[in-house]
Amino acid sequence: MVSESYPSKSVCVIGAGPSGLVAARELRKEGHKVVVIEQNHDIGGQWLYNPKVEGEDPLGRANKFLKVHSSMYHSLRLASPREIMGFTDFPFVEKKGRDMRRFPSHREVLCYLNDFCEFFELRGMIRFNTRVEYVGMAEFGELEVAKELRWVVKSKEKKSERVVEEVFDAVVVASGHYSQPRLPIIKGMNCWKRRQMHSHIYRVPDPFRDEVVVIVGSSMSGQDLSMELVGVAKEIYLSAKSSISEGFSKVFAKHKNLHLCPKIDSLEEDGRVLFVDGSSVTADTILYCTGYSYTFPFLDTKGIIEVDDDRVGPLYEHTFPPSLAPSLSFVGIPRKIIGFPFFESQAKWIAQLLSGKKTLPSWEEMMKAIKEFYQSREAAAIPKHCTHDIADFEYCDMYADKVGFPRLEEWRKELCVSSLINAEANLEMYRDVYDDFELLQVARQSPHFTQLGEKAFEV
């Protein structure tokens, strides 16, 4: 809780997805006055499926603010087992009458988040159907004295279009990063006359029936959509800029209408797609499964925080801008992690900084750590746009140690690795066929489930 020397802060949390919800909970737990601003009609963020994509630009390039936030397609299922996903004190348990599979659909994740929201009584803090239009500094003095900063937040209610301007002691940005399409630069892309779209607005396979489809990208969505479309499209040509996984290679071997191609060299006005090896195909649709970019169209920090080739920075531990922390912070920036527990550790750190229980290193120390981190990524030949790709349990443990938060349990790590190995063995069926029952038994006998599981059943 807050102390006399650190009175309760007014805090605006932007977004009511998983990261925003757990941030709101931790902030309230520390005695802060919290307002969560959510642009949609309900909680969930990415997990709030929206089938109505007709009004969205197919490539996400038309507007400052996208009309559609969620990139979930109808058939999407978790790539990781439910056991590892839950917040540390609220297990993701099966419930009768719902999707009880270990790798459930996106709808079951939304149900879990609703359960979390109801159990911790978070809805009263949330303003729905309200979009944040502007966040900027109310005071701009010495940057090292960031704790004195306050923030102007302008938000617009969708129905009335009324703009509300407020001042908060702190802002937590939890707006997600799987909405704004990241697109490749391809010669002829602006002249190609046939359908081009990003997976952001893909929902169901039927519109592609009997088409020749070129899919660009071989990561998670490229794999999923290739396997989904192979049953309805005439031919699928998947363009990959690097080698594909062993598990994905086995899928190609099974389907005669699924073809692996190199990078695209150019697009021709007559509908041809030319590849760098000289081959070509005439396509009906190009579907870009090329990932997403970080974007904060509402945020004005006078150039202090910038997004440079998807590097959001400078950020200390992917969370705090040294010149503006702790009054400005970000939750949910890292990728390739076990998300919900990590968001929880970020939220706890932010809440305790604002209540005075913890302090950050000096500005100089944080900037030095950021510089060293960037140098280590460059030395490892990791592209700048992968700055926030973690894929490292040791980093998550180190982060938890800084916060005084429990490290990831070993069973979470082992189940995560097990699912990756199973996917390599059978990408098409690993969500339904698995042999990690001993690991699963260890997880189910852990305090996370035996002591906390009943809490999740109470809602």
Side-chain angles (χ1 to χ4, degrees):
M1 298 296 288
V2 295
S3 64
E4 290 184 7
S5 56
Y6 284 86
S8 175
K9 300 288 196 299
S10 60
V11 186
C12 177
V13 177
I14 302 174
S19 55
L21 291 174
V22 76
R25 186 191 69 168
E26 294 301 322
L27 287 161
R28 187 181 62 184
K29 192 185 296 183
E30 285 296 317
H32 301 298
K33 299 184 286 288
V34 185
V35 173
V36 182
I37 302 180
E38 168 55 48
Q39 64 181 332
N40 283 312
H41 68 281
D42 205 352
I43 66 151
Q46 273 300 319
W47 301 100
L48 182 62
Y49 176 69
N50 181 1
K52 299 177 181 179
V53 297
E54 293 79 11
E56 186 64 274
D57 182 288
L59 296 176
R61 300 189 297 191
N63 301 301
K64 178 180 178 182
F65 293 98
L66 292 171
K67 295 178 181 178
V68 177
H69 179 71
S70 176
S71 299
M72 294 287 158
Y73 36 95
H74 185 267
S75 65
L76 185 139
R77 292 174 63 184
L78 295 185
S80 301
R82 69 161 72 226
E83 293 84 15
I84 74 173
M85 280 196 60
F87 295 113
T88 62
D89 60 354
F90 199 78
F92 190 4
V93 297
E94 303 94 338
K95 290 192 173 183
K96 289 183 179 180
R98 295 198 337 209
D99 188 345
M100 297 181 67
R101 294 174 295 180
R102 289 189 63 205
F103 296 79
S105 75
H106 56 83
R107 289 170 287 276
E108 179 65 11
V109 181
L110 182 61
C111 288
Y112 167 77
L113 292 172
N114 269 301
D115 290 345
F116 179 81
C117 191
E118 297 304 320
F119 185 87
F120 292 104
E121 300 180 339
L122 304 179
R123 282 188 179 272
M125 292 187 281
I126 306 171
R127 294 181 194 163
F128 292 108
N129 293 311
T130 304
R131 185 172 68 198
V132 173
E133 302 266 305
Y134 172 84
V135 174
M137 289 168 275
E139 298 178 17
F140 190 68
E142 291 295 324
L143 296 184
E144 287 79 7
V145 196
K147 64 182 180 181
E148 296 178 4
L149 287 173
R150 303 189 78 209
W151 295 88
V152 174
V153 177
K154 297 178 183 178
S155 59
K156 179 189 285 187
E157 297 174 358
K158 279 188 179 179
K159 189 173 182 180
S160 67
E161 294 194 343
R162 183 172 69 99
V163 176
V164 176
E165 181 174 321
E166 301 164 278
V167 177
F168 291 90
D169 296 315
V171 170
V172 178
V173 179
S175 52
H177 53 77
Y178 290 110
S179 295
Q180 180 62 53
R182 179 181 171 88
L183 295 167
I185 299 173
I186 300 174
K187 179 183 175 183
M189 192 172 173
N190 293 329
C191 303
W192 205 72
K193 302 300 183 183
R194 303 187 181 189
R195 179 168 60 177
Q196 297 184 77
M197 58 182 284
H198 191 273
S199 58
H200 169 62
I201 63 165
Y202 175 94
R203 291 299 181 264
V204 293
D206 198 61
F208 304 88
R209 187 169 299 279
D210 299 324
E211 285 195 352
V212 175
V213 180
V214 172
I215 294 178
V216 183
S218 59
S219 293
M220 192 69 70
S221 60
Q223 294 175 10
D224 270 2
L225 301 191
S226 295
M227 292 187 290
E228 177 157 287
L229 290 174
V230 77
V232 298
K234 181 180 179 181
E235 302 287 341
I236 298 172
Y237 296 84
L238 184 131
S239 171
K241 63 182 180 181
S242 57
S243 60
I244 61 173
S245 68
E246 181 182 346
F248 202 17
S249 296
K250 295 175 182 177
V251 177
F252 279 88
K254 290 174 61 177
H255 300 283
K256 292 183 179 180
N257 64 334
L258 181 57
H259 315 279
L260 182 62
C261 303
K263 284 181 63 175
I264 295 174
D265 179 66
S266 65
L267 304 179
E268 304 297 317
E269 289 191 45
D270 61 3
R272 285 180 300 144
V273 178
L274 276 58
F275 301 99
V276 293
D277 64 353
S279 63
S280 67
V281 62
T282 299
D284 299 296
T285 297
I286 299 176
L287 177 57
Y288 296 99
C289 297
T290 46
Y292 297 89
S293 289
Y294 296 92
T295 180
F296 310 99
F298 51 82
L299 187 58
D300 178 11
T301 63
K302 309 299 181 187
I304 296 172
I305 300 297
E306 295 182 336
V307 181
D308 178 13
D309 192 15
D310 282 331
R311 172 180 285 176
V312 184
L315 290 182
Y316 177 64
E317 303 298 359
H318 308 274
T319 310
F320 304 105
S323 296
L324 304 172
S327 68
L328 179 67
S329 57
F330 295 77
V331 178
I333 293 289
R335 298 180 293 207
K336 297 186 179 180
I337 54 170
I338 301 177
F340 291 11
F342 190 84
F343 303 159
E344 190 179 350
S345 65
Q346 288 184 292
K348 192 173 289 291
W349 197 359
I350 294 165
Q352 293 186 355
L353 282 166
L354 292 174
S355 63
K357 286 184 177 178
K358 293 188 179 299
T359 57
L360 287 168
S362 69
W363 181 88
E364 290 81 8
E365 290 172 310
M366 288 191 283
M367 291 301 294
K368 180 174 181 287
I370 294 167
K371 182 179 179 180
E372 290 173 351
F373 172 70
Y374 290 168
Q375 290 173 341
S376 72
R377 303 295 270 187
E378 290 162 10
I382 297 172
K384 182 182 287 187
H385 71 265
C386 296
T387 294
H388 305 293
D389 290 4
I390 304 301
D392 183 2
F393 291 136
E394 287 187 11
Y395 177 81
C396 295
D397 286 342
M398 179 274 292
Y399 193 101
D401 290 345
K402 287 178 180 289
V403 184
F405 191 74
R407 289 186 167 196
L408 282 173
E409 304 94 331
E410 289 304 311
W411 57 261
R412 283 198 204 240
K413 300 174 185 177
E414 291 174 5
L415 280 174
C416 179
V417 171
S418 174
S419 68
L420 294 173
I421 293 172
N422 290 342
E424 283 292 279
N426 190 347
L427 185 62
E428 290 183 289
M429 292 299 296
Y430 80 99
R431 293 176 174 93
D432 296 304
V433 179
Y434 36 80
D435 59 2
D436 55 355
F437 298 106
E438 290 185 8
L439 288 176
L440 181 59
Q441 186 176 16
V442 171
R444 293 293 186 172
Q445 292 175 350
S446 70
H448 179 71
F449 284 96
T450 59
Q451 296 178 17
L452 299 171
E454 291 183 5
K455 178 187 295 187
F457 278 109
E458 292 179 19
V459 285

